[in-house]
Amino acid sequence: MTSSSTYLVGKDEIKSAPKTPRKKASTATSRSKSGAQSTKSRELNFAQWAPPTDERVDVDPENVLAHRVAELVAQETSGQSLEVADIGCGSGALGRILGESSPHLQIDGIDISKSLLALAEKALRSDGTPCYRDLLDADLTKPVYFAANHYDLLVSSGLFVPGLLGASDLVAMVQTVKARGRVIVGIDKSHFDNAAFKIVIQEAIWDKTITEPTYTEVESFDASSDRFGTKALIAQFSKVPTLNDL
């Protein structure tokens, strides 16, 4: 198995950095021309998978997967004030739900699309406070230097689908959580079956990077959607501590 990228910036350095509504990861500024093209391709793939952005300002009741991920997050966090990374947050579908169901969480949204982040910035709880603490502009196929070993929980509900991120990206993103930090992510089932997720995840278990996941199979969309019948797996696991963490 190809080893995960090494992350260099620690939590203390993150906390000392000035906060802005949206930040760009340092790696994104040095993309090659070919890298920029692949980034554009991923944005187009997301646009094809997701509903049009003007339909995504409010929580989409058809988005069963986001609601099921949020339910599992609420069960696991039990009112604790934890720092959470919503990777591939898009326009904030999952963040909006978590903002209401788990207001004790401090959620940062991370996405490659500035236009979707602009919509996520409008996500408000019923009391008018923002659902997201911060919104960060980053290419998640590259090392996220600003967030190494930082978060208590990593969540996602729409990133691991055909044409977007794969199994190796998921394992690499585990480095953003603290030792024993939790991961709760939705994965399109056809993508899981066809893109070697089982193999890559098993190798990460053998390498003592993550614990054995549990999987919950759910519908991605409700019966009113023309995409009803699309299945997803919600994977839940923890980051295994290294010797440096002990």
Side-chain angles (χ1 to χ4, degrees), residues 133-207:
R133 175 181 66 177
D134 206 352
L135 291 164
L136 312 170
D137 170 14
D139 183 348
L140 296 174
T141 65
K142 299 180 180 182
V144 182
Y145 290 102
F146 59 82
N149 303 306
H150 181 67
Y151 291 101
D152 300 296
L153 175 63
L154 183 74
V155 301
S156 182
S157 67
L159 185 60
F160 299 98
V161 299
L164 294 182
L165 268 60
S168 295
D169 300 310
L170 172 58
V171 172
M173 286 302 298
V174 171
Q175 299 306 316
T176 63
V177 299
K178 302 171 184 176
R180 300 184 180 86
R182 291 289 287 166
V183 177
I184 305 176
V185 296
I187 308 167
D188 177 77
K189 189 172 185 303
S190 67
H191 193 40
F192 183 93
D193 293 339
N194 298 325
F197 272 83
K198 187 177 294 186
I199 295 171
V200 173
I201 288 172
Q202 185 58 60
E203 289 177 344
I205 296 167
W206 290 334
D207 290 343

Side-chain angles (χ1 to χ4, degrees), residues 94-111:
L94 180 55
R96 284 177 165 84
I97 302 168
L98 289 173
E100 293 294 346
S101 63
S102 301
H104 50 282
L105 300 177
Q106 302 175 59
I107 308 169
D108 291 344
I110 308 174
D111 201 276

